[in-house]
Amino acid sequence: MNRIDKWIEILQDDGCRITAPRRAIIEVLINSPRALQPAEVYALSKTKYAAIGLVTVYRTLERLESLGLIQRVHREDGCHMLMPAADGHEHYLICTSCGRTILFQGDDLGKLFTKVENTTGFEISEHWLQLFGTCPECQEQKDALYEKVENG
């Protein structure tokens, strides 16, 4: 079963009707190479289903997030973007230049959580690990720009 079908099954099990607009939103999120703002999800979904409404996009995003299918990616400016949720020990690596977002395999943080719980008394229920940097393509563009400036 592919990821789109899996999400549709989860939504249906939660009592959600799968309409053409909802399917368009799911396809946009799953197929995006980077995190998206809700307005971008709306614009891209309109190319797949012209009659989609902004309210439908926001309601669908809320539902997907409540089911753990998408998660927020935090940006320096405080705005949130959305990506399919990571599985297990996967975490996000986000380019601060172009917004490209990829998953990488992280280590098991269980020992760290146990230590934090023991020292603070908190019971940790979830975590997000997101690393920010510059992707190889943006680094190349930056290097080429500097070289052009230096060489006049």
Side-chain angles (χ1 to χ4, degrees):
M1 177 182 300
N2 67 35
R3 197 171 200 182
I4 292 172
D5 292 337
K6 182 179 175 184
W7 282 25
I8 287 172
E9 183 178 298
I10 291 168
L11 283 165
Q12 287 174 325
D13 289 347
D14 193 53
C16 186
R17 254 181 350 111
I18 304 304
T19 61
R22 284 191 182 118
R23 184 173 188 83
I25 293 164
I26 291 168
E27 289 175 4
V28 163
L29 287 165
I30 288 175
N31 293 324
S32 178
R34 63 182 186 83
L36 299 171
Q37 294 177 5
E40 292 175 302
V41 174
Y42 172 66
L44 292 168
S45 296
K46 274 190 94 55
T47 66
K48 295 179 172 292
Y49 188 80
I52 196 167
L54 187 57
V55 171
T56 299
V57 171
Y58 275 96
R59 285 184 181 155
T60 302
L61 293 175
E62 286 175 10
R63 190 75 160 279
L64 293 170
E65 187 175 17
S66 73
L67 292 171
L69 297 174
I70 61 173
Q71 72 181 57
R72 294 173 190 259
V73 173
H74 301 281
R75 296 187 341 182
E76 292 176 344
D77 62 7
C79 292
H80 297 291
M81 301 179 86
L82 303 160
M83 279 292 293
D87 291 326
H89 296 299
E90 292 180 328
H91 304 286
Y92 288 114
L93 184 57
I94 303 151
C95 180
T96 55
S97 295
C98 70
R100 181 176 176 212
T101 308
I102 62 170
L103 289 168
F104 69 94
Q105 288 293 320
D107 291 332
D108 182 0
L109 301 174
K111 289 180 183 179
L112 173 63
F113 296 159
T114 300
K115 179 180 176 182
V116 170
E117 287 176 335
N118 290 339
T119 59
T120 65
F122 273 71
E123 184 177 311
I124 297 174
S125 58
E126 64 179 302
H127 75 282
W128 290 358
L129 176 60
Q130 299 172 356
L131 304 179
F132 296 86
T134 308
C135 72
E137 290 82 5
C138 289
Q139 289 175 46
E140 286 178 23
Q141 289 176 358
K142 183 178 168 184
D143 291 344
L145 180 63
Y146 285 136
E147 186 176 310
K148 186 176 180 180
V149 169
E150 287 178 0
N151 294 330

